Amino acid sequence: MTVPVMKLCGKMVEAGQAYNAANQLFLSGLAELLLSQKKDNVLMSCLNQFQQGLQEMLSFHTMLLDQTQRAIIQQLTNLCSQFLPQLADTRKEFVRIGEDLETAAAKNAQVLRHKAAEAERASHLLLATRKCYQHFGLDYCLQLNTFKTQQNIDVLNSVFSFVHAQFTFFHQGFDLLRDLEPSMKTMGAQLSQLSADCAAKRKELENRHLLVQQR
């Protein structure tokens, strides 16, 4: 139950790390673009604020992936390493004692009853093996039930930690974008003005071109 979840979580974290790496390359390209636009103060200011905001958002996502890995993979790995080896050993002994019990039962059934001493030894061996088998059976059931109970607790705790990490990530992102909102409104107004100026400039150039052709 826990192992498939851990593997899927690992794939999710790997995909997130690849996404972050691609984002970091994009931000590096954006930083190079900033260097080529130093003469344009408006464009420089817009791109610089966007680049800083995106870089901070990327750091939030990196923290989310780290928290996800610790919440799901590490916690469930600790659960498995704590219980599974002992469970495997106990089950192995339980199976071995079960085989010994079958052997003792077969010997007890095959012994000649007129050989009292041999029959008594076989009977005592059967009783001792049966008690040992019952002991290992109870021990194995106890360990298995303890593991199942702890597994339920750890799985719920892991999912809770993961959802809490998601909550923190989106809350941080919301706060970041809310802080950028005034700048975005200013940038929007500046972009509208730049678009209007560009359209007017283009119209002026078209008119000049037409005038040159007429002359």
Side-chain angles (χ1 to χ4, degrees):
M1 174 181 170
T2 56
V3 175
V5 172
M6 291 161 56
K7 289 182 178 179
L8 291 172
C9 182
K11 290 181 179 180
M12 180 176 66
V13 170
E14 288 177 4
Q17 290 171 342
Y19 171 79
N20 281 355
N23 268 269
Q24 190 59 62
L25 289 174
F26 168 74
L27 293 177
S28 298
L30 196 58
E32 292 180 5
L33 181 62
L34 281 171
L35 295 176
S36 65
Q37 302 293 333
K38 288 184 177 180
K39 294 181 179 179
D40 193 328
N41 292 331
V42 175
L43 185 59
M44 184 75 174
S45 176
C46 291
L47 290 178
N48 189 46
Q49 291 191 54
F50 282 142
Q51 197 267 348
Q52 289 178 359
L54 291 172
Q55 185 66 57
E56 193 167 355
M57 185 66 75
L58 183 61
S59 68
F60 293 158
H61 198 255
T62 301
M63 286 189 290
L64 172 64
L65 293 176
D66 180 64
Q67 290 169 349
T68 298
Q69 191 166 19
R70 283 189 281 113
I72 303 294
I73 298 177
Q74 290 185 10
Q75 186 160 338
L76 296 183
T77 298
N78 292 338
L79 170 71
C80 292
S81 61
Q82 179 184 355
F83 285 95
L84 292 186
Q86 185 179 3
L87 271 172
D89 292 341
T90 304
R91 185 180 183 280
K92 189 183 298 182
E93 286 298 310
F94 179 64
V95 171
R96 184 184 65 80
I97 296 297
E99 293 172 351
D100 290 345
L101 179 60
E102 290 180 2
T103 303
K107 286 182 178 180
N108 184 66
Q110 293 170 0
V111 71
L112 298 177
R113 293 304 166 189
H114 65 272
K115 295 182 179 181
E118 188 176 341
E120 186 177 358
R121 284 196 299 270
S123 177
H124 287 167
L125 177 62
L126 178 60
L127 290 174
T129 307
R130 183 179 295 159
K131 287 181 180 180
C132 188
Y133 179 76
Q134 291 171 346
H135 167 74
F136 271 94
L138 290 173
D139 192 31
Y140 182 56
C141 288
L142 175 62
Q143 291 183 25
L144 192 60
N145 287 331
T146 302
F147 170 70
K148 291 291 185 182
T149 302
Q150 190 62 44
Q151 179 180 249
N152 291 339
I153 294 172
D154 287 356
V155 167
L156 288 175
N157 190 37
S158 297
V159 174
F160 174 79
S161 299
F162 172 67
V163 174
H164 187 268
Q166 292 278 354
F167 172 83
T168 302
F169 169 72
F170 284 103
H171 187 71
Q172 288 173 327
F174 174 78
D175 288 342
L176 174 64
L177 293 175
R178 184 175 57 185
D179 292 340
L180 284 175
E181 187 176 9
S183 299
M184 291 178 67
K185 289 181 179 179
T186 302
M187 293 175 201
Q190 291 173 336
L191 286 172
S192 296
Q193 185 60 46
L194 284 174
S195 297
D197 294 343
C198 183
K201 186 68 175 179
R202 184 169 59 248
K203 185 65 175 178
E204 180 184 352
L205 291 175
E206 289 174 353
N207 290 335
R208 287 184 181 181
H209 182 67
L210 180 61
L211 181 60
V212 170
Q213 285 182 331
Q214 289 174 348
R215 289 181 178 177

